[in-house]
Amino acid sequence: MTTPDRPPARDYWRKNLILIAILLSIWAFVSFGLGIYWAEDLHGIKAPLPGTPLGFWFAQQGSIFTFVILIWVYAWRMNRLDDEYFSDEGE
Amino acid sequence: MGVTAWTTLLIGASFLLYIGIAIRSRASSTGEFYIAGQHVPPLANGMATAADWMSAASFISMAGIISFSGYDGSVYLMGWTGGYVLLALLLAPYLRKFGKYTVPDFIGERYYSQVARVVAVICAIFISFTYVAGQMRGVGVVFSRFLEVDVTWGVIIGMGIVFIYAVLGGMKGITYTQVAQYCVLIFAFMVPAIFISLLVADTMIPHIGFGSIPAGSELSLLARLDGLHEQLGFSTYTLGSGNTINLLAITFALMAGTAGLPHVIIRFYTVPRVRDARKSAGWALLFIAILYTTAPAVAVFARTNLIDTVYKDDSFQPHEQMPGWFQTWEGTGLIRFEDKNGDGLVQYVGAAAVDDQGQSIANELTIDRDIMVLANPEIAGLPNWVIALVAAGGLAAALSTAAGLLLVVSTSVSHDLLRKWLKPDLSEKQELLAARIAAGAAVCVAGYLGINPPGFVAEVVAFAFGLAAASFFPAILMGIFMKRMNREGAIAGMVVGLVFTASYIIFFRFIDPELDKPENWWWGISPKGIGTVGMLFNFMVAGIVRSFTSDPPDEVMQMVEEIRVPERSSA
């Protein structure tokens, strides 16, 4: 890497870290939060299906669906960021 | 056609398919043998990663574990999928950019230390062998139950198949067989799940069926199951046992462990570019999620069917009226009925069960939880070919994982130990030969462990995650995100994390298992979750040691800068 590239690389890295922080907060919120920590408080709420307590649903279904979405959002955002900052990248 | 004929046909056909793929994709260089020449498209790599990851345990045992532990089984569901988020965001793209062949390669070069490399090699080989023994055992068990072949012969047949495609094709052969194996295993898992969902919940989609209210009933499936559990003295299916901190620790240890397992990480080296590594993580988790979100539904259906068989109209049923599958599995010893009070009724109750007078009732039925997936089609009365399909799926799951693990062992020996350490003057041809010999030898050792499993395998496999969480995961993470993390800090952290986690587990599981109770656990965390604490210690010690030792050399910091950005064309 040559010296003139440094500032954009640093900027790219900062944006990457912010995106990771946001996505990992959601990751922790659905699994550790809704799925475990608040699972008992959410037990009385039957959602999103008529028979599933909400916390139980997040622990066994919802968190996994969310994880899939998080990875795709990251891939999509970062691949776009790559194009923005390193557009001379070989396709 | 009978079950045996169908099973022979489906297993034979799937094996021919795997061998055919192996012959078409032989490896001719170390690059092809180690990382499939980095030509694997992200979608195919996603499927291969899913098959690589989903083992006999995911396919056969997981739904059974959830079926018997209800909400508490969620730790496996979240832990084994949530780890992919860590992998996709924190590790995979950067390791792909680094682009060398193995995890010990990264640790060795990033921490400019042969000691770190050798420690990583030993960890990788240890984790892989403990894991692979369980897979080979799974192969043997499927053969013996469905085809009445001796377990030993079952393992030998499985070894032969893995030998052909792992030794010939290396990563290239393994990748494309894994793609085929994913298709076989997901089909085999979903078909019975859809059938049972139709029978129990009137819908083709198990994920909806499991939360539905069946026609003609006021209660939802889960509410009814909770009610049955209460009547029979089991703990509530949809509620946890209450130890929140322990659940959090176990889930996190499984997540970080998943992200740190070498045979999964190495799959991300095989795609052409960094952006493909990100996408293939997305595909991988999507393909894994299909099975992992269906498993809890299967667990609920199976549990309900099981209880309805022994407990109808508020009373226990007589043993002689049990259906055929019940007696078949009793024959294998995996269902055991002991008529303690001699009344001929099958009393299946939990610890809290009491009769009308408040006297406690003894449980008379013991069920091996592994049979829930294997016996589910029989319990639901599905056709023979579905039962045979489950056998082929179980084999695909076990063989694909075994192959991935054996490749880690083989590359660790030929690349990390020989080429990078003991014999640096090895030519490419010699290295390739060494890799093939190492793969062949690893298959034989794995087969031996499958035929003569050491008693502690099951225990150790569960803890491989804790160890990976306390060693590899933090070391790789700091290697990418902390430019100034140095050799001394990383090694001290890994050693402390490993020693702490291993000692805690060995103490409670092997030295003094009597003390393995919540009141004796530190911070209420069980040996399964202690990897999380080990990981925190790793981070802390690494940070402290780093602060009073010197920075890494400039070229290493330069390397860290470079793995953080995607590759660019030579222009």
Side-chain angles (χ1 to χ4, degrees):
Chain A
M1 186 180 303
T2 50
T3 329
D5 286 330
R6 288 229 159 197
R10 201 161 283 175
D11 201 31
Y12 167 86
W13 186 246
R14 196 179 51 84
K15 287 190 179 163
N16 179 23
L17 292 182
I18 294 171
L19 181 60
I20 291 176
I22 296 171
L23 296 180
L24 284 188
S25 316
I26 301 172
W27 164 82
F29 178 72
V30 291
S31 54
F32 300 117
L34 299 178
I36 298 179
Y37 194 79
W38 292 298
E40 228 173 301
D41 306 319
L42 298 173
H43 195 258
I45 306 170
K46 299 285 180 280
L49 296 166
T52 45
L54 189 58
F56 176 81
W57 185 82
F58 263 104
Q60 302 211 333
Q61 306 267 290
S63 59
I64 303 176
F65 294 139
T66 316
F67 296 156
V68 176
I69 295 168
L70 291 178
I71 297 184
W72 278 106
V73 168
Y74 182 73
W76 170 69
R77 283 288 307 151
M78 284 309 288
N79 288 355
R80 240 182 42 174
L81 208 61
D82 282 6
D83 293 339
E84 226 170 90
Y85 280 81
F86 306 94
S87 51
D88 60 330
E89 194 209 335
E91 273 298 314
Chain B
M1 274 209 297
V3 176
T4 314
W6 270 113
T7 312
T8 316
L9 181 75
L10 289 183
I11 291 179
S14 65
F15 279 13
L16 280 180
L17 177 68
Y18 306 153
I19 293 173
I21 294 171
I23 292 171
R24 285 183 62 100
S25 49
R26 282 178 307 250
S28 52
S29 68
T30 48
E32 286 191 344
F33 194 91
Y34 293 152
I35 50 177
Q38 303 193 316
H39 292 314
V40 182
L43 178 76
N45 191 49
M47 280 194 193
T49 310
D52 198 46
W53 167 243
M54 291 192 283
S55 59
S58 293
F59 188 91
I60 297 172
S61 311
M62 197 176 61
I65 292 174
I66 300 165
S67 197
F68 282 81
S69 58
Y71 171 85
D72 284 340
S74 314
V75 295
Y76 298 104
L77 292 166
M78 286 188 284
W80 286 340
T81 53
Y84 277 82
V85 179
L86 298 176
L87 194 58
L89 272 55
L90 303 175
L91 310 181
Y94 317 105
L95 290 173
R96 170 61 195 85
K97 177 68 193 305
F98 173 72
K100 294 292 172 49
Y101 298 144
T102 64
V103 174
D105 244 351
F106 178 76
I107 305 249
E109 301 215 353
R110 170 62 183 81
Y111 296 118
Y112 45 101
S113 156
Q114 286 297 1
V115 178
R117 180 193 295 271
V118 173
V119 171
V121 168
I122 294 168
C123 286
I125 292 180
F126 173 78
I127 292 172
S128 301
F129 265 128
T130 49
Y131 232 92
V132 88
Q135 304 310 317
M136 291 321 252
R137 189 75 192 163
V139 171
V141 168
V142 171
F143 267 107
S144 72
R145 277 188 216 162
F146 287 92
L147 291 179
E148 287 155 35
V149 179
D150 190 57
V151 175
T152 307
W153 279 105
V155 172
I156 291 172
I157 297 170
M159 274 167 63
I161 298 291
V162 175
F163 189 89
I164 292 172
Y165 65 75
V167 174
L168 271 184
M171 186 56 117
K172 200 173 158 201
I174 286 173
T175 301
Y176 293 102
T177 9
Q178 281 177 338
V179 171
Q181 282 160 337
Y182 175 77
C183 299
V184 172
L185 83 85
I186 201 69
F187 188 66
F189 197 85
M190 294 309 288
V191 167
I194 290 169
F195 266 116
I196 294 168
S197 180
L198 276 172
L199 286 175
V200 176
D202 284 327
T203 162
M204 275 192 58
I205 304 164
H207 310 75
I208 293 178
F210 121 117
S212 68
I213 299 170
S217 160
E218 285 159 30
L219 285 175
S220 71
L221 222 50
L222 281 166
R224 184 162 164 265
L225 187 55
D226 275 346
L228 286 171
H229 265 222
E230 199 184 332
Q231 282 175 40
L232 299 179
F234 294 103
S235 58
T236 313
Y237 189 87
T238 55
L239 271 180
S241 51
N243 188 349
T244 307
I245 183 97
N246 191 30
L247 289 180
L248 291 171
I250 295 177
T251 307
F252 196 88
L254 292 173
M255 285 175 172
T258 302
L261 284 177
H263 70 290
V264 177
I265 292 178
I266 208 169
R267 285 238 50 99
F268 292 95
Y269 287 72
T270 65
V271 294
R273 292 167 304 168
V274 170
R275 55 199 305 127
D276 301 319
R278 299 192 188 110
K279 273 198 250 169
S280 86
W283 286 120
L285 188 61
L286 179 69
F287 292 133
I288 292 168
I290 296 174
L291 190 147
Y292 272 57
T293 52
T294 307
V298 170
V300 169
F301 301 150
R303 184 81 188 152
T304 311
N305 277 341
L306 176 74
I307 294 181
D308 283 344
T309 304
V310 294
Y311 186 73
K312 253 179 243 161
D313 308 321
D314 293 337
S315 60
F316 294 108
Q317 297 301 301
H319 183 241
E320 69 254 28
Q321 282 180 23
M322 287 296 121
W325 60 265
F326 192 95
Q327 275 137 23
T328 320
W329 288 94
E330 264 189 302
T332 65
L334 295 167
I335 288 184
R336 279 195 312 278
F337 169 62
E338 186 195 351
D339 196 2
K340 287 178 184 152
N341 55 7
D343 62 358
L345 301 178
V346 181
Q347 279 166 209
Y348 179 52
V349 292
V354 286
D355 62 13
D356 308 337
Q357 278 86 42
Q359 301 282 322
S360 69
I361 309 175
N363 178 40
E364 300 177 342
L365 184 64
T366 321
I367 301 158
D368 185 296
R369 58 192 185 190
D370 280 358
I371 73 169
M372 295 315 281
V373 165
L374 298 176
N376 219 358
E378 297 170 70
I379 296 176
L382 301 182
N384 288 339
W385 64 270
V386 179
I387 300 169
L389 194 59
V390 172
L395 283 177
L399 290 176
S400 57
T401 307
L405 292 161
L406 291 169
L407 192 82
V408 169
V409 175
S410 141
T411 52
S412 296
V413 172
S414 65
H415 183 73
D416 292 307
L417 288 184
L418 286 179
R419 177 66 188 273
K420 292 284 177 157
W421 188 37
L422 298 173
K423 273 184 83 66
D425 54 341
L426 218 58
S427 75
E428 152 116 15
K429 244 186 156 163
Q430 288 170 316
E431 191 182 338
L432 185 60
L433 180 68
R436 290 195 207 273
I437 293 171
V443 173
C444 296
V445 176
Y448 177 81
L449 289 174
I451 295 166
N452 306 297
F456 53 85
V457 161
E459 299 281 280
V460 180
V461 168
F463 299 127
F465 287 94
L467 296 178
S471 60
F472 280 146
F473 179 69
I476 303 173
L477 193 66
M478 291 185 293
I480 298 163
F481 288 86
M482 293 177 66
K483 200 166 65 178
R484 288 176 192 285
M485 180 47 67
N486 60 12
R487 173 178 60 197
E488 291 79 6
I491 294 178
M494 274 206 280
V495 169
V496 170
L498 269 180
V499 170
F500 171 77
T501 308
S503 327
Y504 192 86
I505 292 169
I506 291 168
F507 178 79
F508 279 119
R509 290 291 153 138
F510 300 109
I511 297 180
D512 222 336
E514 310 245 299
L515 288 180
D516 191 10
K517 295 190 190 89
E519 60 266 29
N520 297 320
W521 294 339
W522 290 0
W523 314 285
I525 294 174
S526 68
K528 268 187 203 153
I530 204 67
T532 301
V533 183
M535 186 191 69
L536 294 177
F537 282 167
N538 183 330
F539 281 129
M540 265 163 21
V541 170
I544 294 167
V545 172
R546 190 209 69 83
S547 65
F548 55 80
T549 43
S550 53
D551 275 352
D554 285 343
E555 63 270 22
V556 169
M557 293 208 265
Q558 186 73 29
M559 182 191 110
V560 177
E561 292 280 359
E562 271 170 36
I563 59 171
R564 289 177 176 188
V565 295
E567 61 276 270
R568 42 182 62 222
S569 63
S570 52

